[in-house]
Amino acid sequence: MLVRPPVPAEEAIARNIRALRQAAGWSQADLAQRMTARAWSWYPQTVQRIEVGNRHLRIGELDDLAAIFGITAAAFRGDLDISRVAAAREAIEQEVRQRIIAEIAGNMKAA
């Protein structure tokens, strides 16, 4: 029986960030923009470096990524199955819809 060695946490996190980003249909620039909106100085190159393992995450960054993707920070360390990725994408889409509705409603009140 072939036993796969455990994947270091950093590799699992990097792999899952990429998988979630791609499942959401986002470019590296899109994710960087979302992190910048949360007060992190991220660029597309930052995302690329994280995804290939050339840059580690700060704990606060991981927490904000979890919020962006609608999962827990601990979930990044494990194997994400496709249903979890789909659920995360749905959570993201729902958040975007709610923000758009709130913005439209605020603009209508102001007018």
Side-chain angles (χ1 to χ4, degrees):
M1 173 188 235
L2 185 62
V3 177
R4 188 173 74 170
V7 175
E10 292 85 2
E11 289 180 32
I13 291 167
R15 181 189 66 232
N16 288 331
I17 289 170
R18 182 181 185 117
L20 286 165
R21 178 184 60 76
Q22 290 176 335
W26 296 343
S27 67
Q28 291 174 338
D30 294 330
L31 181 54
Q33 203 170 37
R34 284 169 171 77
M35 286 297 285
T36 299
R38 291 177 175 263
W40 296 103
S41 294
W42 275 36
Y43 303 91
Q45 298 84 352
T46 309
V47 177
Q48 187 272 337
R49 291 181 64 222
I50 290 167
E51 290 179 352
V52 299
N54 291 336
R55 181 186 180 281
H56 296 291
L57 291 167
R58 295 175 181 95
I59 293 171
E61 289 174 322
L62 187 61
D63 289 341
D64 281 340
L65 283 168
I68 287 168
F69 289 119
I71 63 173
T72 66
F76 279 109
R77 294 185 66 177
D79 289 328
L80 291 178
D81 62 23
I82 201 71
S83 63
R84 179 165 262 181
V85 171
R89 183 175 185 173
E90 178 57 35
I92 292 164
E93 290 172 353
Q94 181 64 27
E95 179 185 348
V96 169
R97 283 192 292 270
Q98 289 173 347
R99 287 183 182 189
I100 290 170
I101 290 168
E103 187 174 328
I104 290 170
N107 288 340
M108 291 177 76
K109 287 180 183 178

